[in-house]
Amino acid sequence: MAPPLLTITDMALRFGTTPLFDSMELSIGERDRISLVGRNGSGKSTLMKVISGTVEADRGERFLQPGCHVTYLDQEPDLSGYATLYDYIASGLTLAAEDETYRVDIILEEINLSPTMDPMTLSGGEARRAALARALISDADILLLDEPTNHLDIATIEWLEDSLKMYRGGLVIISHDRTFLNNVTNTTFWLDRGQVRRLDKGFAHFEEWSATIIEQESVERAKLDKLIDKETDWSHKGITARRKRNMGRMRSLWALREKRSEQIRVTGQVKLGVDSGKTAGKKVIEAHKISKSFGDQVIFDDFSLRVMRGDRIGIIGPNGVGKTTLLKILTKHLEPDSGTVKHGTNLDITYLDQKRDLLNEEQTLWDFLSDGGDHLMVRGHSKHIVAYLKDFLFDAGQARSPIKSLSGGEKNRLVLAKTLALPTNFLILDEPTNDLDMDTLDLLQDMLGEYDGTLILVSHDRDFLDRIVSSSLVLEGDGTVTEYPGGYADYIRQRAGRKAEAAALVAAKKAPKPGEAPKQRGAKLSYKHQRALENLPKEISTLEQDIVRYQAKLGAADFYTKDPEGFRKTNTTMEQAIADLAAKEEEWLEIEMMREELNG
């Protein structure tokens, strides 16, 4: 086995009088794809900086193999000091690769940005794509990525996944995006109480592994009494309790998806209009033949939708495609160019946009949440402000601290606390997972899982969508909006199935009629492509059947309880089948287009 590229031994670091790491040991190999996980405030980003060499430990040794290069992409990359985007990305090339500037043009095309853009004028998503491009072309032996998926849309996240799978060096990643970590990593570092525990498996195995360790430690805690502080004990209990809660909520979500699937089928068969016979309040939104354009860009055209009470709808699409515009029109914050939007009766709407404009930095956390007393109403129930802050992972001592003393993640958590406390039967969340740590995501997921009102959610987080929504509205970028029952994984599966059906219809129309001689061909497909064209429809059909079988198996109420490992393996196998299905469908379409060109 090759020696590790980097090792850290007996490392200790304090911030003031607070020890962050003590006697820490870790190593990173050339093919390690590491997810670095740990509760909020455990020091993950600081450890990244120690690994990169930008922060020096108080004690210990950091050894990097001679000639090895480390690149670190932090959460807030600095793009200043460069005249153009080309200059910024090219600065990531190592000295040995300075004659390979053509790679800058290639990666700029991949991230769809102009080389002449001013880096300081980029949006949050564009800046993140640019910073990732600069890091990727550095060809670092060790690449460190701190929350790389923040502000990226799903298409860009999937591009990043593909790029990292082909990356030749070692990777260390901090991310709240579970699907991203599941797809990319093969090793897990758990930063826990100043130490790093290593699992030579990817993030998909983290919960089971950490729960086993916690259960073992619970026996030791009974003997060692109170050596582990209350906060750590609370955070650990959250991991084991979360697993039990998740399955109950997932069963409820599957039932909601089935109900929504029936609604979608009915909506597609009837003419939308005012349904005066329905019980007041059941119908939340009735959108009829709405259209919206900005100049030559058609956001959507002739789109109709019915949202019923209790629906949980996700909105999916690339950045800039019009997700927020659709959201504003459905909630009557913006008028459509044509068509009508009607709201049901007794709606109490709460809208959380991406800007988080609610905060007054000079206020204390207590004042921000309080209406003058020491309790606040949380969805109809009185709760003490300190107890509610603890629900959102704040310490009691922070209640009287000014908001300006909080970190960015803590500020986002406080805005969520305020928003989710408001009385509402219709909750609108526009990219709520941006800049949230995994602890807060778990908390938000728990709260939304128990929410009994209507929810519309815009998000790029695939796992979050899969766990929360009952149906998905997908903006494809060509002016069409399609509703699919289920979350993101369900959308991918159904989209592939619809493409296969469309392809089969095209093939059937072009097939010669009985007794009709086939058209004479000029150039022909290669034997390999001909065989693929014959075999791919069968392979696609088999994968579709497999996916349906996996879904049925995962839908069994007692599967997870009886066999957690089998449940995870089946889910992983299904996700791979979904990816294979999409790849084979894409291959079929490419060969079919090639055949059409050859036939003129």
Side-chain angles (χ1 to χ4, degrees):
M1 182 179 295
L5 299 175
L6 179 142
T7 56
I8 288 177
T9 54
D10 193 32
M11 190 265 282
L13 180 64
R14 286 175 173 267
F15 280 161
T17 60
T18 304
L20 192 59
F21 311 127
D22 185 31
S23 302
M24 177 181 288
E25 311 273 340
L26 64 83
S27 64
I28 300 172
E30 61 182 354
R31 295 303 297 168
D32 284 345
R33 273 89 173 90
I34 299 166
S35 59
L36 175 56
V37 301
R39 65 188 179 92
N40 193 37
S42 61
K44 298 187 295 295
S45 294
T46 302
L47 179 55
M48 279 278 214
K49 293 173 182 176
V50 171
I51 294 171
S52 70
T54 56
V55 167
E56 186 176 347
D58 298 330
R59 187 189 74 229
E61 180 183 3
R62 171 185 177 269
F63 175 74
L64 183 66
Q65 290 286 349
C68 283
H69 174 52
V70 179
T71 292
Y72 171 49
L73 175 64
D74 64 19
Q75 292 191 43
E76 300 295 336
D78 182 8
L79 278 68
S80 62
Y82 298 92
T84 66
L85 186 57
Y86 183 96
D87 295 335
Y88 169 71
I89 293 178
S91 69
L93 291 169
T94 61
L95 291 175
E98 284 183 343
D99 59 345
E100 299 179 3
T101 53
Y102 65 91
R103 295 169 55 205
V104 180
D105 296 315
I106 293 173
I107 204 162
L108 274 167
E109 186 173 348
E110 289 180 5
I111 63 174
N112 195 30
L113 292 177
S114 168
T116 59
M117 297 176 75
D118 180 350
M120 301 307 294
T121 65
L122 301 181
S123 68
E126 290 170 339
R128 176 63 56 172
R129 280 148 55 196
L132 284 166
R134 182 177 182 272
L136 287 169
I137 68 166
S138 71
D139 281 339
D141 299 282
I142 299 175
L143 182 58
L144 311 174
L145 303 176
D146 195 348
E147 293 291 358
T149 65
N150 270 352
H151 304 285
L152 298 184
D153 57 33
I154 292 175
T156 308
I157 292 172
E158 291 176 338
W159 164 81
L160 178 59
E161 286 177 359
D162 292 339
S163 299
L164 294 180
K165 287 174 183 176
M166 295 185 292
Y167 199 78
R168 293 177 294 178
L171 299 171
V172 183
I173 303 169
I174 299 172
S175 179
H176 64 265
D177 188 326
R178 285 178 165 82
T179 302
F180 176 73
L181 291 177
N182 288 344
N183 290 343
V184 172
T185 63
N186 61 17
T187 304
T188 304
F189 281 0
W190 181 17
L191 182 54
D192 180 39
R193 286 162 284 166
Q195 300 294 321
V196 168
R197 304 172 190 264
R198 177 174 179 132
L199 174 69
D200 289 321
K201 293 181 180 180
F203 178 78
H205 302 271
F206 170 69
E207 282 199 6
E208 181 186 12
W209 172 59
S210 59
T212 301
I213 292 173
I214 292 164
E215 287 167 7
Q216 292 170 349
E217 289 191 345
S218 67
V219 177
E220 298 173 11
R221 282 200 300 272
K223 299 176 182 178
L224 299 175
D225 207 5
K226 294 182 178 180
L227 290 180
I228 298 174
D229 64 47
K230 186 177 180 181
E231 180 185 355
T232 301
D233 183 56
W234 177 88
S235 69
H236 280 174
K237 285 178 181 176
I239 296 174
T240 52
R242 188 186 315 138
R243 295 174 64 196
K244 297 176 182 177
R245 292 196 304 270
N246 279 351
M247 290 318 299
R249 284 200 304 274
M250 287 306 294
R251 285 192 288 272
S252 299
L253 181 56
W254 289 326
L256 279 173
R257 287 177 176 174
E258 180 63 29
K259 180 180 178 181
R260 185 61 185 167
S261 178
E262 293 296 327
Q263 290 175 354
I264 294 170
R265 285 195 285 271
V266 171
T267 301
Q269 295 169 355
V270 300
K271 183 177 180 180
L272 295 180
V274 178
D275 190 349
S276 58
K278 295 289 184 180
T279 303
K282 279 192 173 181
K283 190 185 298 178
V284 176
I285 295 177
E286 185 88 53
H288 183 58
K289 293 186 176 296
I290 58 173
S291 300
K292 187 66 180 179
S293 300
F294 293 107
D296 294 333
Q297 182 184 6
V298 179
I299 305 301
F300 46 84
D301 184 42
D302 202 30
F303 170 61
S304 296
L305 174 72
R306 177 181 292 166
V307 180
M308 308 300 290
R309 186 176 62 206
D311 284 346
R312 297 159 169 260
I313 297 176
I315 300 181
I316 300 172
N319 286 344
V321 77
K323 301 187 295 296
T324 300
T325 298
L326 174 59
L327 196 60
K328 289 181 176 180
I329 288 176
L330 292 178
T331 54
K332 292 191 174 182
H333 287 75
L334 184 66
E335 288 293 323
D337 296 336
S338 61
T340 60
V341 176
K342 296 182 180 180
H343 282 183
T345 58
N346 301 321
L347 289 186
D348 192 357
I349 302 175
T350 295
Y351 190 117
L352 177 65
D353 66 15
Q354 297 184 49
K355 296 180 180 179
R356 316 289 199 263
D357 289 333
L358 294 175
L359 292 176
N360 177 351
E361 296 275 324
E362 300 303 322
Q363 277 188 308
T364 65
L365 281 67
W366 181 292
D367 292 336
F368 180 69
L369 294 177
S370 172
D371 290 326
D374 57 3
H375 284 69
L376 75 161
M377 297 299 294
V378 180
R379 297 179 300 283
H381 301 282
S382 178
K383 192 155 191 173
H384 195 277
I385 289 174
V386 172
Y388 189 56
L389 283 169
K390 286 182 177 179
D391 287 344
F392 282 81
L393 313 182
F394 291 103
D395 295 331
Q398 292 179 279
R400 299 292 186 178
S401 300
I403 291 173
K404 63 184 178 183
S405 69
L406 300 179
S407 68
E410 287 173 329
K411 290 176 182 177
N412 287 329
R413 199 186 308 153
L414 185 62
V415 172
L416 280 173
K418 178 81 168 182
T419 301
L420 296 176
L422 298 172
T424 179
N425 54 24
F426 189 11
L427 187 57
I428 313 293
L429 302 178
D430 191 355
E431 296 287 7
T433 67
N434 274 347
D435 299 310
L436 293 185
D437 56 74
M438 202 171 287
D439 288 339
T440 311
L441 273 178
D442 287 339
L443 175 65
L444 179 58
Q445 181 184 308
D446 286 349
M447 299 193 73
L448 293 180
E450 296 168 0
Y451 179 62
D452 57 3
T454 304
L455 172 68
I456 295 184
L457 167 69
V458 177
S459 181
H460 63 264
D461 190 316
R462 295 160 291 178
D463 180 80
F464 193 73
L465 288 164
D466 284 342
R467 292 173 183 267
I468 296 297
V469 304
S470 56
S471 68
S472 302
L473 293 177
V474 181
L475 284 75
E476 302 287 2
D478 59 358
T480 61
V481 184
T482 307
E483 185 171 11
Y484 296 83
Y488 182 77
D490 299 299
Y491 148 62
I492 292 296
R493 175 183 56 79
Q494 294 171 74
R495 181 187 64 176
R498 292 184 185 187
K499 283 186 177 181
E501 290 176 6
L505 287 173
V506 170
K509 287 180 180 180
K510 293 186 176 183
K513 297 178 181 179
E516 181 180 77
K519 295 179 180 179
Q520 294 295 319
R521 298 183 180 183
K524 295 182 179 180
L525 290 173
S526 68
Y527 176 76
K528 176 183 176 181
H529 285 147
Q530 289 176 8
R531 290 286 296 168
L533 205 56
E534 294 170 3
N535 294 331
L536 280 171
K538 301 173 189 175
E539 295 173 7
I540 289 170
S541 177
T542 299
L543 283 169
E544 289 173 341
Q545 294 171 18
D546 289 344
I547 292 168
V548 170
R549 189 172 70 254
Y550 296 142
Q551 285 188 318
K553 189 174 181 180
L554 290 169
D558 60 349
F559 182 21
Y560 182 86
T561 305
K562 290 183 177 179
D563 186 8
E565 181 61 26
F567 183 94
R568 276 184 284 274
K569 288 181 178 178
T570 302
N571 188 60
T572 300
T573 304
M574 182 183 74
E575 289 179 352
Q576 185 59 53
I578 291 171
D580 291 344
L581 179 62
K584 288 184 180 296
E585 179 54 30
E586 190 70 26
E587 182 183 359
W588 188 94
L589 290 172
E590 288 177 358
I591 298 174
E592 178 64 20
M593 290 174 63
M594 188 188 307
R595 186 185 67 81
E596 290 180 0
E597 289 177 3
L598 290 174
N599 288 343

